[in-house]
Amino acid sequence: SRIFVQDTIYDKFVAELSALFDKVKVGLPWEESTQLGSLIYEAQVEKVLSYVELAKEEGARVAAGGVRVTDGELGKGCFIRPTLIVDATNDMRVAREEIFGPVAVVIKFHSEEEVIEQANDSLYGLGGGVFTQNLNRAIRVARAIETGRMWVNTYNSIPAGAPFGGYKQSGIGRETHKVILEHYTQMKNIIINLSDKPSGFYDLD
């Protein structure tokens, strides 16, 4: 997951988001205070941690997390601290490949045109979001980003009945909407001449 942050607020944003990541309660799934559970199995833990190391090799910095949780009962499971990778660029593997773990990659940008170009420079296009106080900018960016869903000043709001699906290599078609029926339907057109005279393209009458 990529987070594009304008350069004018980058340092403040990274500092505050890092602090929030550090506060996330990683825990057992049946505990009500738990905010983040485990990964699915050991191999995925190893994969996610390998991406953390790759980020460092590529020149990015780990601002929060990036480590396995080893405390108490959690040490027996597949738990990783929520991880924030900063000072990344869009050409890094951690920004271009799907990690499937609690990892966010922060990339700095300056102009609207620049961030649209970078956001669209991806094989994937499932969902995205834009946060701004300028409504015209929100509409421009939301229309320009190549994703199946765009949120404006919110994220992961999923109302029932809203079509959901992606562009490019992020899924086929749309779910949670009546349009999905079209993907299970073969349309046929039957034309019947009810007159007693010949009709059609080759009418010889």
Side-chain angles (χ1 to χ4, degrees):
S1 298
R2 299 173 299 168
I3 303 174
F4 294 96
V5 181
Q6 198 158 26
D7 52 9
T8 54
I9 62 169
Y10 182 86
D11 292 337
K12 181 180 179 182
F13 181 93
V14 165
E16 294 189 10
L17 188 58
S18 299
L20 289 174
F21 268 46
D22 288 336
K23 292 180 181 178
V24 171
K25 173 66 164 49
V26 180
L28 299 171
W30 52 84
E31 295 178 350
E32 291 188 10
S33 61
T34 293
Q35 295 175 291
L36 180 67
S38 72
L39 275 69
I40 189 169
Y41 44 58
E42 186 67 27
Q44 190 61 23
V45 172
E46 295 173 2
K47 178 183 176 182
V48 172
L49 292 178
S50 72
Y51 271 106
V52 174
E53 293 305 311
L54 177 62
K56 298 175 185 176
E57 294 172 9
E58 291 182 312
R61 178 171 60 88
V62 178
V67 295
R68 184 171 192 156
V69 180
T70 58
D71 302 333
E73 289 295 307
L74 300 187
K76 302 175 183 178
C78 301
F79 296 86
I80 293 179
R81 288 292 314 167
T83 302
L84 191 65
I85 296 173
V86 302
D87 301 340
T89 56
N90 205 42
D91 59 344
M92 294 180 178
R93 283 183 57 193
V94 289
R96 306 196 68 79
E97 300 177 11
E98 293 186 307
I99 299 175
F100 289 113
V103 180
V105 178
V106 183
I107 301 170
K108 186 187 297 185
F109 77 92
H110 178 68
S111 68
E112 179 181 322
E113 294 75 19
E114 179 188 359
V115 73
I116 290 172
E117 180 180 358
Q118 289 192 72
N120 288 338
D121 182 17
S122 172
L123 295 175
Y124 309 104
L126 186 59
V130 54
F131 288 80
T132 177
Q133 295 179 339
N134 185 318
L135 182 59
N136 288 335
R137 171 167 286 167
I139 298 300
R140 283 197 309 270
V141 173
R143 294 186 65 176
I145 299 297
E146 297 166 353
T147 60
R149 172 173 286 174
M150 280 292 290
W151 288 279
V152 175
N153 292 340
T154 184
Y155 203 83
N156 267 355
S157 172
I158 307 177
F164 182 76
Y167 284 26
K168 298 180 272 192
Q169 292 186 21
S170 292
I172 299 173
R174 295 296 180 267
E175 306 171 22
T176 69
H177 186 269
K178 64 181 181 179
V179 71
I180 195 173
L181 297 176
E182 296 179 5
H183 302 296
Y184 294 91
T185 305
Q186 187 71 277
M187 186 177 293
K188 178 175 286 189
N189 179 247
I190 299 175
I191 298 176
I192 301 175
N193 173 25
L194 296 178
S195 75
D196 293 328
K197 297 181 179 181
S199 70
F201 193 76
Y202 297 104
D203 185 356
L204 301 177
D205 188 13

